[in-house]
Structure formats: structure tokens, C-alpha cells
Amino acid sequence: MPLLELESLSAHYGRIQALHDLTLHVDEGEIVTLIGANGAGKTTTMRVISGIRPVSSGTLRFDGEDIGSLRADLRVVRGISQSPEGRGVFPGMTVLENLDMGAYSRKDRKDLGPDLDRVFELFPRLAERRSQAGGTLSGGEQQMLAIGRALMAKPRLLLLDEPSMGLAPQFIQQIFRIITEINSQGTTVLLVEQNAQQALQRAHRAYVIETGRITKSGTGKELLADPAIKEAYLGVA
Ligand SMILES: Nc1ncnc2c1ncn2[C@@H]1O[C@H](COP(=O)(O)OP(=O)(O)O)[C@@H](O)[C@H]1O
Ligand SMILES: [Mg+2]
């Protein structure tokens, strides 16, 4: 049984249909990436999974349970945690306070030490800046904080929406390395990226989304070698 399963799932903004009959799944332990151009529907897919946007038709299952009409905060309790596009760090709160917010939905909030240690091991820069206001961090550091905050919920499934967006090259490499590390520690990852090269290299499997429809799927390696993918997403003629 897949950990996450979308079956013929559609979503709308008012009368505009953003997702058309999306079918995809993520198995426990995988990194799955969703690649696509700007406006293809990647963020909408993430929002529907995390519960920020409603499902208009189709089925959304997590760990075998239909969660399509479950409140977003209860999905966090089930084990789905999102690092949103554009980071969403609380600028007036310190790094530690931001991380603490990530654990908000947990019942075992007294025992955050090991999780903070895990985040600080993955992101030593956050440890150094733990008392600094989130809004004063660099773009790359805010991205780390957003991922760290999502990890504080102890997710089974981590949703990452464009973690490399707007980052300097040295940060991009680092973020992708850390995603692989998080996954090897046992967290399943659904990764949305415009940096298709890096995402496909890191992912076990991938889906291509075009104007709200899945048009291709395969292993990361298969899609990296696909001439149409190379031309459309990897900048190779
Ligand atoms: N808040 C919104 N209101 C209306 N339309 C939206 C909204 N957000 C996104 N859309 C539309 O939904 C489609 C998919 O957008 P999005 O999921 O953000 O794409 P991506 O993340 O792949 O760039 C686009 O056509 C976009 O214009
Ligand atoms: Mg997006």
C-alpha cells in the first residue's frame, strides 16, 4: 500500500480548474519528485495534499485512509508536513521559536530535544543563529529554517515546494544533499522543483505535470535520459 495516493484528483480556483484527474503515488521511503513549468500545478498539488486547498473530485489517501476532507492541522497529526513555496518563516520570531512552531501539533511537545538536535545537525547554521530573528536570515538560511520547521512535526511524509528557488549555487547543492540525508534517515519526501536536473538525480521516481495533468512518469534515471524531458526541462537541445 502506498503511503500517499492521489487518484483522479481535481482541484479548482473558483471556476478555473488547476488540476485535472491527477493520479500518482508515493511509497514509504521514497523521494518522489514532481517537475513542471511555472504554472503547471505543482504548488496546487502540494496544497491539496496538505489541506490548504480543497479537493474538488477524486481521492486522496494517506496510509490507506481517505483524508480528502480532513482538516489541514489533522493531516499534520497524521504525519504530513509541508515546507511551503516562498518559505513562510515567521520574521519576528527567533529561529528557535520558528522551529518550536513546527512542533505545534505534536502531543509529545515536551520531548523536542532530539528533534532540535536532528535539525541542528542537518543545518549547523541554524544552530549558530538560534536566537536570531527569522526575518534577518539570508534566503538560503530561511529555506533551511522552513525545512527544519517542517521536520519538527516529525513527519512521515515531507512536502518540499521548490526548496532550491532563489538560492545561490552553493546553497542549492547543499539543500539537495540534505534532502537525500533526510530521506535516508527514514522520512518519505515529495519534492516539487523547477531545478529538474538535481531533482531527477535525487529522486527514486518522478512525475511530469503540464497544465494540471500528469503527462509522464518513471524513475529519476529514466526521465533524465528521456530526450523530450531533456529538451523541455534540462536545457539540452
Ligand atoms: N490563488 C490562486 N487563484 C487563482 N488561480 C491560481 C491561484 N494559485 C494558482 N493559480 C493558478 O493555478 C495554476 C497552477 O498554479 P500553481 O499550482 O501555483 O503552479 P506551479 O506551482 O506549478 O507554478 C496556474 O494557472 C495558476 O495561475
Ligand atoms: Mg509553485
Side-chain angles (χ1 to χ4, degrees):
M1 177 178 70
L3 183 60
L4 177 76
E5 207 174 1
L6 280 60
E7 209 179 298
S8 207
L9 195 131
S10 296
H12 291 73
Y13 293 100
R15 270 178 296 173
I16 299 165
Q17 186 165 0
L19 300 180
H20 301 260
D21 297 322
L22 237 64
T23 296
L24 63 84
H25 70 274
V26 180
D27 286 324
E28 184 121 50
E30 281 189 308
I31 300 178
V32 171
T33 187
L34 188 59
I35 62 169
N38 215 352
K42 303 182 299 298
T43 294
T44 305
T45 304
M46 293 302 224
R47 287 180 179 152
V48 166
I49 296 167
S50 63
I52 297 165
R53 294 294 311 172
V55 171
S56 31
S57 63
T59 315
L60 176 62
R61 264 185 235 102
F62 183 72
D63 201 17
E65 180 191 7
D66 187 336
I67 58 160
S69 49
L70 195 68
R71 264 177 20 217
D73 58 322
L74 294 177
R75 295 188 203 188
V76 181
V77 175
R78 297 293 194 283
I80 300 176
S81 181
Q82 180 176 18
S83 171
E85 186 183 50
R87 301 166 196 139
V89 160
F90 301 109
M93 289 186 175
T94 66
V95 166
L96 261 179
E97 288 165 347
N98 266 280
L99 291 173
D100 200 48
M101 289 298 288
Y104 184 74
S105 67
R106 279 172 52 178
K107 295 194 183 84
D108 57 339
R109 295 196 64 210
K110 289 214 162 58
D111 194 24
L112 298 182
D115 302 288
L116 268 180
D117 290 346
R118 178 190 184 195
V119 169
F120 288 153
E121 256 167 52
L122 288 166
F123 303 107
R125 264 170 188 271
L126 294 183
E128 293 163 21
R129 287 162 174 73
R130 69 182 77 197
S131 304
Q132 195 172 318
T136 65
L137 299 177
S138 74
E141 289 160 359
Q142 288 194 30
Q143 187 61 65
M144 293 173 187
L145 181 53
I147 297 172
R149 192 179 57 192
L151 282 175
M152 290 300 290
K154 258 190 182 171
R156 291 178 68 191
L157 175 66
L158 179 64
L159 306 174
L160 297 173
D161 194 350
E162 307 244 17
S164 80
M165 188 161 62
L167 298 188
Q170 77 267 23
F171 276 131
I172 294 180
Q173 282 299 330
Q174 196 184 349
I175 286 281
F176 280 106
R177 235 187 311 111
I178 288 167
I179 292 167
T180 301
E181 170 81 22
I182 289 168
N183 175 251
S184 67
Q185 292 173 351
T187 308
T188 305
V189 176
L190 179 59
L191 170 66
V192 154
E193 264 297 334
Q194 283 198 41
N195 191 331
Q197 177 83 39
Q198 284 280 347
L200 291 173
Q201 277 171 6
R202 300 281 172 177
H204 300 100
R205 289 187 306 107
Y207 295 88
V208 178
I209 182 168
E210 293 177 65
T211 57
R213 292 176 177 83
I214 300 292
T215 55
K216 214 164 241 186
S217 66
T219 65
K221 281 207 181 88
E222 279 164 1
L223 295 198
L224 270 175
D226 183 316
I229 300 284
K230 280 187 181 167
E231 195 179 336
Y233 299 105
L234 304 177
V236 185

